[in-house]
Amino acid sequence: MQKEIVDFLIIGGGVAGLRAAIELAPYGTVIIVTKDIPTESSTEYAQGGVAVALSDEDEVGIHFEDTIKAGDGLCREEAVRVLVEEGPQRILELIDWGAEFDKEGARLSFTIEAAHSRRRVLHAHGDSTGRELERVLINKVKSFPTAQRLPFCTAVDLIVDDGMCIGAYVLRNSDIIAIYASATVLATGGAGQIFSRTTNPAVATGDGMAIAYRAGAILEDMEFVQFHPTVLFAPSAPQFLLSEAMRGEGAILRNINREPFMKNYHPDAELAPRDIVSRAIISQMVRTKSKHVYLDLTHLGKDFLKSRFPRIYSTCLQYNVDITKELVPVSPAAHYMMGGVKTDIDGITNIKGLYAAGEAACTGVHGANRLASNSLLEGLVYGARAGRAALNFKMSNEQLSIDSEEIPHPLSSASHTSLPDKEEIRHTLRKVMWEKVGIIRCGESLGHTHEKLSEWSFILNKIYLTRRELELKNMLTVAELITEAAIQRKGSAGAHYRSDFPQKGEEWAKHITLQKGNKGTRYEFAG
Ligand code: SIN
């Protein structure tokens, strides 16, 4: 088996991974592995923007309050405080490195999105904010000769020796490589692909969460999956996001009969929290027996729409939808995991040497429902913090000798056997998760789904040799964890809604943690 030795291993090339790399590269060698091309991550597709208290009308205290309110009582206050207080510094430094956010005259231009009480969302090139962040961070990473990017490498498992993470096995072409590192940062993003409707790119299969779970990491808040209300619904078009910033600029939701309906559900109407808008849309779809509602932008004017949302305008047009002239068919889709690998505010997990940041991690910053556009900021703030913590760990464990380690991965000696139809299982898994563990859940179907998932895990046990197969294994693991947590939370909070328990329930203020045990997953209600 091929072996690489490096000071720091980062798994994932979105905003959190790149920001961590920038902290580490001045002090040691860094390898950033990505499953696909280096830029293929959720960051690259983030439209709306990055929330930060930098405008004259805003304050970090107000950003704090809005985040806490959106999180429906389950945010960890300390984590939110760090986010809003360190956010402005991370953004100003990004501007220093060349980020070009949109401006009105000489001043930064801020938009508003749901549940924000101030205009605080910065955007770039109209609706390509994530791409701009990725561009700037990659350029910065490239300026360090110590940082190396390894594309098309799928993380197979973490290497854990005597309770300490010392790197990861990755699959490149058909070879397993062992990458040994003094510290490893997981920044693999989310798991939207486990749902048949999702805004996430194909790479978002929950790999980081699953490999961390297999290694003994604690995961938390897995029941909280955010569904974005407005995703293009057209038979021949991809599930393309129509940014919440469009509703921020005045777009209106209408049902199939063209009636506006959001005022009937929440005083903030179109700008109510995402979970409320998503459920309102579903209830309208059920009431009118339709598969979608409409987003109406026609009153906002062609010139404005083309300049403010150029990427959305041109993408929709490719699929024969002219957003300036016609109502756009939309319905919700899985968008963001609030839960993930449990960390403290420095990205430290329960496994020595293992750090996590961004969507793969759970600091508790989002609670039960993330405030729109807080995720890019989270990647910057917590990516940098996880990087600094990984550096401190390496500094205080200088005596660590990883180059003598040689632990073969079981896959390296495995061979192909006759396999069940994994593509069929992948397809059915995504459909079942969407239908039974989606926006509206109930105990009975969660139970049936859990049984089905366990059955698949059993059938597929130990037959994962390709990227696609490893993804399925990870998707199954994350799907089981989400379903398990959704079963345990007998109440509704934020994005987790149980039709059989519509109230918050007794233990609502606790977080559910999950960890691999000898006889399956152990769960606990923690403070
Ligand atoms: C959007 O542009 O609507 C997505 C922004 C986000 O999820 O934070």
Side-chain angles (χ1 to χ4, degrees):
M1 189 166 49
Q2 198 185 322
K3 181 165 101 173
E4 299 270 348
I5 298 170
V6 72
D7 291 319
F8 305 106
L9 170 63
I10 296 178
I11 308 178
V15 57
L18 294 173
R19 191 59 193 78
I22 291 166
E23 288 305 306
L24 295 167
Y27 304 98
T29 50
V30 180
I31 286 184
I32 305 167
V33 299
T34 55
K35 198 164 62 171
D36 212 284
I37 58 169
T39 51
E40 190 60 8
S41 65
S42 294
T43 299
E44 182 70 8
Y45 298 91
Q47 298 176 354
V50 49
V52 63
L54 272 176
S55 85
D56 292 345
E57 65 171 52
D58 205 1
E59 289 167 27
V60 291
I62 307 175
H63 190 185
F64 174 86
E65 277 162 26
D66 288 350
T67 301
I68 296 281
K69 198 165 159 205
D72 205 10
L74 275 136
C75 292
R76 287 224 159 80
E77 293 199 359
E78 189 192 17
V80 179
R81 208 172 299 285
V82 165
L83 178 83
V84 297
E85 284 177 359
E86 294 184 10
Q89 208 184 324
R90 293 285 80 83
I91 294 294
L92 293 175
E93 134 199 292
L94 208 64
I95 293 173
D96 222 39
W97 296 341
E100 290 177 14
F101 291 108
D102 296 335
K103 290 190 172 160
E104 280 157 34
R107 297 161 82 89
L108 289 168
S109 161
F110 295 89
T111 192
I112 192 159
E113 289 183 289
H116 288 272
S117 63
R118 295 288 188 279
R119 295 183 75 87
R120 69 163 66 93
V121 180
L122 286 174
H123 41 93
H125 312 291
D127 50 8
S128 291
T129 315
R131 188 177 282 179
E132 177 64 2
L133 262 61
E134 187 82 10
R135 178 188 75 77
V136 172
L137 293 170
I138 282 188
N139 281 342
K140 185 77 185 164
V141 167
K142 280 186 185 163
S143 72
F144 298 102
T146 43
Q148 181 194 354
R149 293 181 296 157
L150 274 190
F152 299 106
C153 286
T154 304
V156 177
D157 269 314
L158 295 168
I159 310 174
V160 180
D161 187 35
D162 205 13
M164 168 127 76
C165 177
I166 52 167
Y169 299 104
V170 303
L171 179 75
R172 187 166 56 180
N173 302 321
S174 51
D175 297 327
I176 301 272
I177 308 172
I179 305 180
Y180 293 100
S182 298
T184 299
V185 181
L186 281 179
T188 45
Q193 284 298 326
I194 66 171
F195 296 91
S196 56
R197 266 190 76 69
T198 181
T199 60
N200 290 190
V203 290
T205 50
D207 304 338
M209 297 173 197
I211 63 175
Y213 172 78
R214 288 200 286 278
I218 298 173
L219 281 85
E220 186 176 59
D221 287 349
M222 292 297 284
E223 68 276 32
F224 298 123
V225 180
Q226 185 170 74
F227 297 89
H228 197 291
T230 54
V231 179
L232 187 61
F233 185 91
S236 57
Q239 295 167 7
F240 182 70
L241 179 73
L242 280 101
S243 175
E244 193 154 285
M246 296 184 125
R247 279 173 283 133
E249 301 290 358
I252 295 167
L253 282 163
R254 298 183 183 276
N255 65 18
I256 199 82
N257 304 320
R258 297 173 181 239
E259 298 153 343
F261 55 85
M262 271 316 301
K263 284 212 166 72
N264 305 336
Y265 293 89
H266 195 277
D268 292 339
E270 270 74 10
L271 292 183
R274 266 184 202 171
D275 58 306
I276 292 174
V277 180
S278 290
R279 285 197 294 277
I281 291 174
I282 296 292
S283 90
Q284 287 293 311
M285 283 163 47
V286 170
R287 196 176 72 76
T288 59
K289 298 190 174 56
S290 68
K291 291 193 167 155
H292 62 82
V293 294
Y294 289 117
L295 188 67
D296 181 2
L297 301 131
T298 52
H299 53 290
L300 297 179
K302 186 169 182 162
D303 291 344
F304 172 74
L305 287 173
K306 281 177 73 175
S307 67
R308 177 67 183 82
F309 301 108
R311 194 167 170 187
I312 300 176
Y313 168 75
S314 60
T315 306
C316 288
L317 209 55
Q318 271 175 39
Y319 297 97
N320 296 323
V321 179
D322 184 344
I323 63 168
T324 69
K325 291 198 186 122
E326 55 195 304
L327 304 190
V328 188
V330 293
S331 80
H335 184 57
Y336 189 88
M337 288 288 302
M338 269 73 75
V341 180
K342 181 176 166 61
T343 72
D344 70 1
I345 54 165
D346 291 310
I348 297 175
T349 71
N350 62 308
I351 299 180
K352 249 175 139 184
L354 180 67
Y355 299 80
E359 193 175 350
C362 179
T363 56
V365 74
H366 304 304
N369 189 29
R370 176 179 61 95
L371 184 69
S373 287
N374 263 355
S375 44
L376 290 176
L377 194 70
E378 178 198 18
L380 291 170
V381 168
Y382 283 101
R385 289 181 79 92
R388 282 197 294 275
L391 177 63
N392 289 340
F393 179 74
K394 155 113 177 99
M395 298 294 194
S396 52
N397 286 275
E398 208 60 82
Q399 75 286 6
L400 210 77
S401 156
I402 49 169
D403 54 354
S404 60
E405 300 294 337
E406 189 83 53
I407 307 168
H409 189 274
L411 270 190
S412 52
S413 57
S415 61
H416 246 288
T417 49
S418 100
L419 305 173
D421 188 341
K422 281 173 274 140
E423 287 307 320
E424 169 92 30
I425 293 181
R426 187 180 180 123
H427 172 80
T428 316
L429 161 80
R430 301 181 71 217
K431 187 165 176 302
V432 168
M433 287 302 288
W434 175 249
E435 287 170 1
K436 310 292 185 201
V437 195
I439 298 170
I440 296 174
R441 303 162 170 176
C442 87
E444 200 183 338
S445 42
L446 287 171
H448 292 151
T449 305
H450 199 265
E451 275 170 32
K452 193 77 215 156
L453 294 168
S454 311
E455 207 179 288
W456 284 328
S457 290
F458 183 75
I459 300 172
L460 292 170
N461 196 19
K462 293 200 178 108
I463 48 174
Y464 304 93
L465 290 172
T466 63
R467 163 176 165 179
R468 193 93 182 144
E469 290 170 1
L470 287 164
E471 284 180 348
L472 176 59
K473 175 180 182 169
N474 295 336
M475 287 163 74
L476 260 170
T477 302
V478 175
E480 281 188 84
L481 294 173
I482 293 174
T483 309
E484 175 74 46
I487 290 171
Q488 297 310 332
R489 185 169 288 280
K490 294 180 177 57
S492 297
H496 169 74
Y497 183 81
R498 291 269 305 247
S499 56
D500 47 348
F501 293 104
Q503 306 307 320
K504 280 191 159 165
E506 272 175 26
E507 293 203 279
W508 74 269
K510 296 205 167 147
H511 296 264
I512 298 175
T513 59
L514 302 155
Q515 190 176 21
K516 191 172 172 204
N518 294 338
K519 293 186 190 146
T521 304
R522 285 199 312 260
Y523 69 88
E524 244 174 61
F525 283 82

